[in-house]
């Protein structure tokens, strides 16, 4: 039996065992317990950082990453872009069955060296939120030539600000400079496009959302756990973080398969 099939059985058994407890939970039978059918499909957005062999939580090994991409391909997922997502949310345009965004934060060079070849192998594209001042100036990060190649091959390149400053820690002048400066750098090197951003360190609030919108960004991505549907706030889009652990693939399968279930039970995001 393949490992992915074993994990499907584990997930099924988990659901069968957990369901009586979940259904008896006051929260589960509260107002928050409602299917999200009226909000359309739940869209999986994965959040990676590094794909390398560093022994840290933010690093998924190339072997683990390929195992995860192979699983997603076998399960019938199709990658989409942030523009596809917002066209669905705002304009009601159709999405493929099992839509998936694969996102990377920061713009590490291993995204190009290790993740990109695997994703091409399985016919996937992704979204990389880059810290524009780090590009071509720090060997840990991508170069503009690499960024251009990624875009030419179907990747979307978004903003992670100019210098990766937590956006709730600065005044409006600095905040606007970070937003407009990173957008200008993307325009200069890659040509004009819709602007999307991932909040550095995940830090944001309603005021930051307002400034991001005023600066022309179409949507923003958080590190808040969950899937996205039409009820989601475009300036606080949820993602599923993927970390290295002792059981990385098992954790990955559980997150991909159970997130929508727990949202529908009212256990994640009302």
């Amino acid at each position: 039996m393949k490992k992915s099939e074993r994990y499907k059985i584990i997930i099924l058994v988990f659901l069968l065992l957990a369901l009586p407890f979940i259904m008896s939970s006051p929260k589960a039978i509260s107002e928050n317990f409602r299917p999200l059918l009226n909000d359309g499909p739940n869209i999986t957005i994965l959040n990676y950082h590094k794909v390398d062999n560093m022994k840290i939580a933010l690093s998924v090994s190339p072997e683990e990453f390929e195992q995860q991409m192979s699983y997603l391909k076998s399960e019938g997922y199709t990658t989409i872009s942030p523009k596809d997502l917002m066209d669905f949310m705002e304009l009601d345009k159709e999405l493929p069955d099992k839509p998936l965004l694969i996102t990377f934060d920061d713009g590490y060079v291993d995204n190009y060296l290790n993740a990109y070849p695997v994703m091409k192998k399985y016919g996937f594209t992704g979204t990389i939120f880059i810290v524009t001042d780090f590009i071509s100036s720090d060997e840990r990060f991508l170069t503009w030539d690499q960024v251009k190649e990624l875009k030419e091959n179907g990747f979307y390149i978004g903003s992670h600000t100019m210098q990766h400053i937590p956006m709730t820690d600065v005044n409006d002048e600095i905040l606007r400079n970070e937003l407009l400066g990173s957008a200008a750098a993307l325009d200069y090197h890659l040509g004009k496009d819709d602007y999307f951003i991932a909040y550095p360190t995940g830090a944001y609030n309603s005021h930051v959302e307002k400034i991001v919108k005023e600066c022309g960004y179409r949507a923003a991505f958080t590190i808040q756990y969950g899937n996205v549907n039409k009820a989601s706030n475009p300036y606080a889009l949820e993602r599923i973080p993927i970390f290295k652990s002792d059981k990385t693939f098992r954790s990955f399968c559980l997150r991909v398969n159970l997130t929508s279930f727990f949202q529908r039970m009212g256990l994640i995001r009302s």
Side-chain angles (χ1 to χ4, degrees), residues 46-212:
L46 303 180
N47 177 207
Y48 292 91
H49 286 78
K50 297 175 65 61
V51 178
D52 62 18
N53 289 306
M54 292 183 67
K55 305 298 183 183
I56 60 174
L58 292 181
S59 292
V60 174
S61 75
E63 294 76 21
E64 290 169 330
F65 185 75
E66 173 143 18
Q67 187 180 28
Q68 293 169 8
M69 296 301 105
S70 176
Y71 174 80
L72 293 169
K73 186 69 173 180
S74 70
E75 291 296 303
Y77 284 91
T78 300
T79 48
I80 63 173
S81 70
K83 290 189 285 186
D84 295 327
L85 173 65
M86 293 310 299
D87 284 348
F88 162 74
M89 293 180 68
E90 297 175 340
L91 307 175
D92 206 30
K93 291 191 176 181
E94 290 189 6
L95 291 175
D97 292 337
K98 304 187 80 167
L100 169 73
L101 265 78
I102 303 174
T103 70
F104 301 82
D105 286 1
D106 301 328
Y108 292 102
V109 69
D110 56 71
N111 296 175
Y112 175 85
L113 297 176
N114 298 329
Y116 175 43
V118 173
M119 295 173 73
K120 282 200 299 184
K121 176 180 176 179
Y122 293 103
F124 291 151
T125 58
T127 297
I128 303 180
F129 296 105
I130 62 173
V131 184
T132 54
D133 279 3
F134 296 175
I135 304 302
S136 288
S137 64
D138 186 322
E139 64 182 9
R140 297 172 299 171
F141 295 88
L142 296 160
T143 67
W144 282 113
D145 284 342
Q146 291 167 337
V147 169
K148 290 175 184 177
E149 181 182 340
L150 288 164
K151 182 176 182 181
E152 289 168 358
N153 284 273
F155 278 62
Y156 175 81
I157 309 300
S159 170
H160 208 38
T161 70
M162 294 173 63
Q163 297 181 337
H164 201 273
I165 297 172
M167 301 174 80
T168 54
D169 292 351
V170 295
N171 61 37
D172 285 3
E173 181 181 358
I174 295 174
L175 178 57
R176 290 180 185 277
N177 183 61
E178 288 285 321
L179 291 165
L180 296 175
S182 59
L186 292 170
D187 283 350
Y188 177 79
H189 289 280
L190 304 176
K192 286 190 176 295
D193 206 339
D194 289 353
Y195 300 141
F196 295 90
I197 190 168
Y199 297 116
T201 73
Y204 74 101
N205 54 33
S206 60
H207 181 70
V208 169
E209 289 182 30
K210 176 177 176 290
I211 301 297
V212 168

Side-chain angles (χ1 to χ4, degrees), residues 255-266:
R255 287 170 180 248
V256 167
N257 287 284
L258 294 183
T259 299
S260 289
F261 172 80
F262 285 123
Q263 283 186 199
R264 285 176 177 166
M265 299 304 294

Side-chain angles (χ1 to χ4, degrees), residues 12-68:
L12 179 59
V13 171
F14 176 84
L15 290 175
L16 291 173
L17 292 174
L19 192 57
F21 299 98
I22 293 171
M23 293 301 292
S24 66
S25 164
K27 184 173 184 180
I29 60 176
S30 72
E31 173 180 13
N32 289 337
F33 173 59
R34 61 179 182 88
L36 299 177
L37 299 178
N38 293 333
D39 299 327
N42 286 321
I43 299 161
T44 300
I45 306 178
L46 303 180
N47 177 207
Y48 292 91
H49 286 78
K50 297 175 65 61
V51 178
D52 62 18
N53 289 306
M54 292 183 67
K55 305 298 183 183
I56 60 174
L58 292 181
S59 292
V60 174
S61 75
E63 294 76 21
E64 290 169 330
F65 185 75
E66 173 143 18
Q67 187 180 28
Q68 293 169 8

